[in-house]
Amino acid sequence: MLRLATQLVRQNSNRNNLLTTVRFLTAAAQPKQNAEPDLPNTSFMSNVFRGDVVPVQVFPYPEPTEDQKELIHDMIDPIHRFFRHEHNPIEAERNGCPDPDTVDAMWKMGLFGTVAPAEYGGLGASTTMYATLADAVGAVDLGLGVYIGAHQSIGWKAIQLYGSEEQKKKYLPRVTKGRTLAALALTEPSTGSDINSVKMRAVRSGCGKYYTLNGSKIWISGGNEAGIFTVFARTEVLDDKSGGIKDKITAFIVERDFEGVSSGPPEEKMGIVVSGTSSVFFDDVRVPVENVLGGEGNGFKVAVTTLNTGRFGMGGSMSGMMRTCIQKATEHATKRVQFGRKLIDFGNVQEKLARMAMYQYVTQSMVYMIVGNIDSSFKDYQLEAAISKVFSSESAFLVCDEAIQILGGNGYMKGSGLEKFLRDVRVFRIFEGANDVLRMFIALTGAKYAGSQLKELQRAVEKPAANLGLIFREGSRRVARTIGIQNGNDISEYVAGPLKVSAQRCTESVKMFGKTVQSCLIKHGKGIAEQQFILKRLADSAIDIYGMTSVLSRATRAIEIGLPSAEHEQLLAIAWSVEASDRVHSNLQQINSGHFSKYCDTLSRIARNVSDTGGVVQQLPLEPLQ
Ligand code: MYA
């Protein structure tokens, strides 16, 4: 650390700012008081699928440590200044890569190894600090965010999570401080969201010392520059249970220098041009068995866990990007005069700005809730991470679009910077798990958790004598929930006075949600997996409930500690709770309504007609009957 700081001082004139930056990034994550990692499933959202409020991860809002508070105060300006002044997004996009001096400075500051422990060359920063870095980069250039993020959110993440001591010692210092970029090589021509459909093969040699990899990967972020890849391939694995051979996915650490590794040219794409995306080819590549990552046949788990831990980074960068859009829109709305009034004096501009502010607030509140939970050693956050990815990427697109609308013709011009943001942000709804697929993941994972409890109860009812305790407990829990007296299930118990009415809305949403999930499970059983019209609405409701809870918790903190922005945060939380709870109600009412299945059937038939025709079905209204 000392060496890094000294280097920085030598190489950068603004000594105090940069030292503060490094101190900020290295602030250790302190386990929080409320951390109870041993509880069965502390995920707030998993329990919401059962209609239960388990507050441990969400109330109170995660509090920064004293160290972090001090450093946040000192560092925000310097790090923002660094990205604003050392990086020119337009020029970098024109060149198709970041300026080498900017990259050089980022390596020197340790920004490519933020959360890796110091013993492996990283800064040893907390996840909370990483989210703050993502926010700072996102505010300036999402392309640069992906350049750094694809490297450390996912590129070398699996080595940190699953690497043996030898693997960590060998590879982490190279990617954290050794100027070697890392990439996650998962996607294939026939494998997008469906990880299990990976086709690439790795065959173990007769001597058992190496695997031979053959195949190709596409759209790999950083694929053209990376020196180290985490590659996923199918291997034959001895199945412990059956004793037979099974075809399973295995993760490997592959070096570009291994013979037979090559990459294609950077793809031409809509945005995030600064972060190269390319194919990577593996032609009879020999990979030593020591480079198997996370154990043979465990590749699926390695992939999803790596992706889970990376997804909040997107939310961080989206939150920063929205902040810039809001600033630009505000600047215009407060200066531009039309029809004799400033734009900000028009109700419809006010509504746009208010909603933009809410989307940003909800996104940021979710992200810092999740990273606070990760830093507190909670393990169950996969649902929340997926929710924040979906919500933040869609909010950022909307906010940017509305900012362009407020700026009008000026917003459409390249000079505004908003046009680039809109192109850059579009992919965030597609990569790191397409939002449509993640919605299904959220709804199904939650429903499965709720269903496991129903199954337990069903089993208990089959043998009532042996399970009276469970039946009684569950029975009284359900009655209590129905008549609204279940202890701890009322969110208004946890919020500040002015937010109690909003919290009641949230509680009502949770209750209605739990009941709807339960009735869907009873009605469809396992078949729920095929009910995507229902799953989508359940996922949207879950997203809204998590959003409401995050802002109620954060605004409560603001009120209780008397932040200068408390009154504003209170307004944001109140307004958001109205909108979000109305949406939850409407989505769930649709599912519960008698005509829903007919309506879904109509939509399916329209889609079939269109796909059977290969496009729009009807002729122009002017065309004669054929
Ligand atoms: S990289 C490529 C990204 N690719 C993806 O994200 C693929 C998305 N697909 C998936 O996540 C999974 O395949 C899905 C499930 C979710 C579709 N955590 O039968 P299953 C368990 C824990 O449902 P599938 C890129 O884009 C599940 O519970 N467990 O599986 C570049 C079940 O367990 P059990 C999970 O239908 C981006 C079992 O697995 C998870 O096949 C660059 C089977 O489940 C999970 N998530 O798939 C980004 N999923 O058997 C740069 C499933 O016990 C970002 N399971 O019941 C930069 C941002 C800026 C940062 C700035 C920094 C400074």
Side-chain angles (χ1 to χ4, degrees), residues 130 133-134 145 149-150 154 184 186-187 193-196 221 300 304 307-308 311 313-314 317 382 431-433 437 441 448:
Y130 184 60
L133 172 67
I154 54 175
L184 184 91
L186 175 61
T187 307
S193 296
D194 182 5
I195 297 175
N196 268 319
S221 300
F300 182 87
V304 292
L307 291 162
N308 285 345
R311 282 187 178 131
M314 272 199 184
S317 61
Q382 65 197 46
F431 68 10
E432 234 183 37
V437 174
F441 167 70
K448 199 158 68 177

Coordinates of all heavy atoms in Angstrom, one line a residue, residues 130 133-134 145 149-150 154 184 186-187 193-196 221 300 304 307-308 311 313-314 317 382 431-433 437 441 448, ligand 1:
Y130 N -16.3 -0.1 -4.1 CA -16.3 -0.4 -5.5 C -17.6 0.2 -6.2 O -17.5 0.7 -7.3 CB -16.3 -1.9 -5.7 CG -16.2 -2.4 -7.2 CD1 -15.1 -2.0 -8.0 CD2 -17.2 -3.1 -7.7 CE1 -15.0 -2.4 -9.3 CE2 -17.1 -3.5 -9.1 CZ -16.0 -3.2 -9.8 OH -15.9 -3.5 -11.2
L133 N -16.9 3.7 -6.9 CA -16.0 3.9 -8.0 C -16.9 3.7 -9.3 O -16.8 4.5 -10.3 CB -14.9 2.8 -8.0 CG -14.1 2.7 -9.2 CD1 -13.2 4.0 -9.4 CD2 -13.1 1.5 -9.2
A134 N -17.7 2.7 -9.3 CA -18.6 2.5 -10.5 C -19.5 3.7 -10.8 O -19.7 4.1 -11.9 CB -19.5 1.2 -10.3
G145 N -16.4 2.5 -18.0 CA -16.9 1.7 -16.9 C -16.9 0.2 -17.2 O -16.4 -0.6 -16.4
G149 N -14.9 -2.6 -15.6 CA -15.9 -3.5 -14.9 C -15.8 -4.9 -15.5 O -15.9 -5.9 -14.7
A150 N -15.7 -5.1 -16.8 CA -15.6 -6.4 -17.4 C -14.4 -7.1 -16.9 O -14.3 -8.3 -16.7 CB -15.6 -6.3 -18.9
I154 N -16.3 -9.2 -13.5 CA -16.4 -10.6 -13.9 C -15.1 -11.3 -14.4 O -15.0 -12.5 -14.4 CB -17.6 -10.8 -15.0 CG1 -17.3 -9.8 -16.2 CG2 -18.9 -10.5 -14.4 CD1 -18.3 -10.0 -17.3
L184 N -14.2 -12.7 -19.0 CA -15.0 -13.9 -18.8 C -15.4 -14.4 -20.1 O -16.1 -13.7 -20.8 CB -16.2 -13.5 -17.9 CG -17.1 -14.7 -17.5 CD1 -16.6 -15.2 -16.2 CD2 -18.5 -14.2 -17.3
L186 N -17.7 -16.8 -21.7 CA -18.9 -17.7 -21.5 C -19.8 -17.8 -22.7 O -20.1 -18.9 -23.1 CB -19.7 -17.1 -20.3 CG -21.0 -17.8 -19.9 CD1 -20.7 -19.2 -19.5 CD2 -21.6 -17.0 -18.7
T187 N -20.1 -16.7 -23.3 CA -21.0 -16.7 -24.4 C -20.5 -17.4 -25.7 O -19.3 -17.2 -26.0 CB -21.4 -15.2 -24.7 OG1 -21.8 -14.6 -23.5 CG2 -22.5 -15.1 -25.8
S193 N -28.2 -16.5 -22.8 CA -28.6 -16.5 -21.4 C -28.5 -17.9 -20.8 O -28.3 -18.0 -19.6 CB -30.0 -15.9 -21.3 OG -30.1 -14.6 -21.7
D194 N -28.7 -18.9 -21.7 CA -28.8 -20.2 -21.2 C -27.4 -20.8 -21.0 O -26.8 -21.5 -21.9 CB -29.6 -21.0 -22.2 CG -29.8 -22.5 -21.8 OD1 -29.4 -22.8 -20.7 OD2 -30.4 -23.3 -22.6
I195 N -26.8 -20.7 -19.8 CA -25.4 -21.1 -19.5 C -25.3 -22.6 -19.8 O -24.2 -23.0 -20.3 CB -25.1 -20.7 -18.1 CG1 -25.1 -19.2 -17.9 CG2 -23.7 -21.3 -17.7 CD1 -24.9 -18.8 -16.4
N196 N -26.3 -23.3 -19.5 CA -26.2 -24.8 -19.6 C -26.1 -25.3 -21.0 O -25.8 -26.5 -21.3 CB -27.3 -25.5 -18.9 CG -27.0 -25.8 -17.5 OD1 -25.9 -26.2 -17.2 ND2 -27.9 -25.5 -16.5
S221 N -16.4 -9.3 -23.7 CA -16.0 -7.9 -23.3 C -14.5 -8.0 -22.9 O -14.1 -8.8 -22.0 CB -16.8 -7.4 -22.1 OG -18.2 -7.4 -22.4
F300 N -21.1 -24.3 -13.9 CA -22.4 -23.5 -13.8 C -22.4 -22.7 -12.6 O -22.7 -21.5 -12.6 CB -23.6 -24.5 -13.9 CG -24.9 -23.8 -13.9 CD1 -25.5 -23.3 -15.1 CD2 -25.6 -23.5 -12.7 CE1 -26.7 -22.6 -15.1 CE2 -26.8 -22.8 -12.7 CZ -27.4 -22.4 -13.9
V304 N -22.6 -18.6 -12.3 CA -23.7 -17.8 -11.8 C -23.3 -17.0 -10.5 O -23.7 -15.9 -10.3 CB -25.0 -18.6 -11.5 CG1 -25.6 -19.1 -12.7 CG2 -24.7 -19.7 -10.5
L307 N -21.4 -14.0 -11.7 CA -22.3 -13.0 -12.2 C -23.1 -12.3 -11.1 O -23.3 -11.1 -11.1 CB -23.2 -13.6 -13.2 CG -22.5 -14.1 -14.6 CD1 -23.4 -15.1 -15.3 CD2 -22.2 -12.9 -15.4
N308 N -23.5 -13.1 -10.1 CA -24.2 -12.5 -9.0 C -23.4 -11.4 -8.3 O -23.9 -10.3 -8.0 CB -24.5 -13.5 -7.9 CG -25.6 -14.5 -8.2 OD1 -26.3 -14.3 -9.1 ND2 -25.6 -15.6 -7.5
R311 N -23.2 -8.1 -10.5 CA -24.3 -7.4 -11.1 C -24.6 -6.0 -10.4 O -25.1 -5.1 -11.0 CB -25.6 -8.3 -11.0 CG -25.6 -9.3 -12.1 CD -26.8 -10.1 -12.3 NE -26.7 -11.0 -13.4 CZ -26.9 -12.3 -13.4 NH1 -27.3 -12.9 -12.4 NH2 -26.7 -13.0 -14.5
G313 N -22.5 -3.9 -9.7 CA -21.6 -2.9 -10.3 C -22.3 -2.1 -11.3 O -22.1 -0.9 -11.5
M314 N -23.1 -2.8 -12.1 CA -23.9 -2.1 -13.1 C -24.8 -1.0 -12.5 O -24.9 0.1 -12.9 CB -24.8 -3.1 -13.8 CG -24.2 -3.7 -14.9 SD -25.5 -4.4 -15.9 CE -24.5 -5.3 -17.1
S317 N -22.8 2.0 -11.7 CA -22.5 2.9 -12.9 C -23.8 3.6 -13.4 O -23.7 4.7 -13.9 CB -21.8 2.1 -13.9 OG -22.6 1.0 -14.4
Q382 N -28.7 -13.1 -4.2 CA -28.8 -13.3 -5.7 C -30.0 -12.6 -6.3 O -30.0 -12.1 -7.4 CB -28.7 -14.8 -6.0 CG -29.9 -15.6 -5.5 CD -29.7 -17.0 -5.5 OE1 -28.6 -17.5 -5.0 NE2 -30.6 -17.8 -6.0
F431 N -26.7 -7.4 -21.7 CA -25.6 -8.2 -21.2 C -25.7 -8.5 -19.7 O -26.5 -8.0 -19.0 CB -24.2 -7.8 -21.7 CG -23.7 -6.5 -21.2 CD1 -24.2 -5.8 -20.2 CD2 -22.5 -6.0 -21.8 CE1 -23.6 -4.6 -19.7 CE2 -21.9 -4.8 -21.4 CZ -22.5 -4.1 -20.3
E432 N -24.8 -9.3 -19.2 CA -24.7 -9.7 -17.8 C -26.1 -10.3 -17.4 O -26.5 -10.1 -16.2 CB -24.2 -8.6 -16.9 CG -23.0 -9.1 -16.0 CD -22.6 -8.0 -15.0 OE1 -23.4 -7.3 -14.4 OE2 -21.3 -8.0 -14.8
G433 N -26.7 -11.0 -18.3 CA -28.0 -11.6 -18.0 C -29.1 -10.7 -18.6 O -29.3 -9.6 -18.1
V437 N -34.7 -12.5 -19.1 CA -34.3 -13.8 -18.5 C -34.2 -13.6 -17.0 O -34.6 -14.5 -16.2 CB -33.0 -14.3 -19.1 CG1 -32.5 -15.6 -18.4 CG2 -33.2 -14.6 -20.6
F441 N -35.8 -15.5 -13.8 CA -35.0 -16.0 -12.7 C -35.5 -15.5 -11.4 O -35.6 -16.2 -10.4 CB -33.5 -15.6 -12.9 CG -32.6 -15.8 -11.7 CD1 -32.3 -17.0 -11.3 CD2 -32.1 -14.7 -11.0 CE1 -31.5 -17.2 -10.2 CE2 -31.3 -14.9 -9.9 CZ -31.0 -16.1 -9.5
K448 N -39.9 -20.7 -6.1 CA -39.4 -22.0 -5.7 C -39.2 -22.0 -4.1 O -39.5 -22.9 -3.4 CB -38.0 -22.3 -6.4 CG -37.6 -23.7 -6.4 CD -36.7 -24.1 -7.5 CE -35.3 -23.4 -7.3 NZ -34.3 -23.8 -8.3
Ligands
MYA1 S1 -21.0 -11.9 -19.6 C1 -22.2 -13.1 -20.0 C2 -23.4 -12.9 -19.1 N1 -24.2 -14.1 -19.2 C3 -25.2 -14.2 -18.3 O1 -25.4 -13.4 -17.5 C4 -26.0 -15.5 -18.4 C5 -27.3 -15.3 -17.7 N2 -27.9 -16.6 -17.3 C6 -28.0 -16.9 -16.0 O2 -27.7 -16.1 -15.1 C7 -28.6 -18.3 -15.7 O3 -28.3 -19.2 -16.7 C8 -30.1 -18.3 -15.5 C9 -30.6 -19.6 -14.9 C10 -30.5 -17.3 -14.4 C11 -30.8 -17.9 -16.8 N3 -27.3 -17.6 -8.4 O4 -32.6 -24.3 -13.9 P1 -32.0 -23.0 -13.4 C12 -29.3 -22.1 -9.5 C13 -27.4 -18.7 -7.7 O5 -32.9 -21.9 -13.3 P2 -30.9 -22.1 -15.9 C14 -21.6 -10.4 -20.2 O6 -22.7 -10.3 -20.5 C15 -30.8 -22.4 -9.4 O7 -31.3 -21.9 -8.2 N4 -27.9 -19.8 -8.1 O8 -30.8 -22.6 -14.4 C16 -20.6 -9.2 -20.2 C17 -30.8 -23.9 -9.5 O9 -30.4 -24.4 -8.2 P3 -31.1 -25.8 -7.7 C18 -28.5 -19.8 -9.3 O10 -32.3 -22.0 -16.3 C19 -21.0 -8.2 -19.3 C20 -29.8 -24.2 -10.5 O11 -28.9 -23.1 -10.5 C21 -28.4 -18.7 -10.2 O12 -30.0 -22.9 -16.7 C22 -20.0 -7.1 -19.1 C23 -30.3 -24.3 -11.9 O13 -31.2 -23.2 -12.1 C24 -27.8 -17.5 -9.7 N5 -27.7 -16.4 -10.4 O14 -30.2 -20.6 -15.8 C25 -20.4 -6.4 -17.9 N6 -29.0 -19.0 -11.4 O15 -30.7 -26.8 -8.6 C26 -19.6 -5.3 -17.4 C27 -29.4 -20.3 -11.3 O16 -30.4 -25.9 -6.3 C28 -20.3 -4.6 -16.3 N7 -29.1 -20.8 -10.0 O17 -32.5 -25.5 -7.5 C29 -19.6 -3.4 -15.9 C30 -20.4 -2.6 -15.0 C31 -19.7 -1.3 -14.7 C32 -18.9 -1.4 -13.4 C33 -17.9 -0.3 -13.3 C34 -16.8 -0.6 -12.4 C35 -15.9 0.3 -12.0

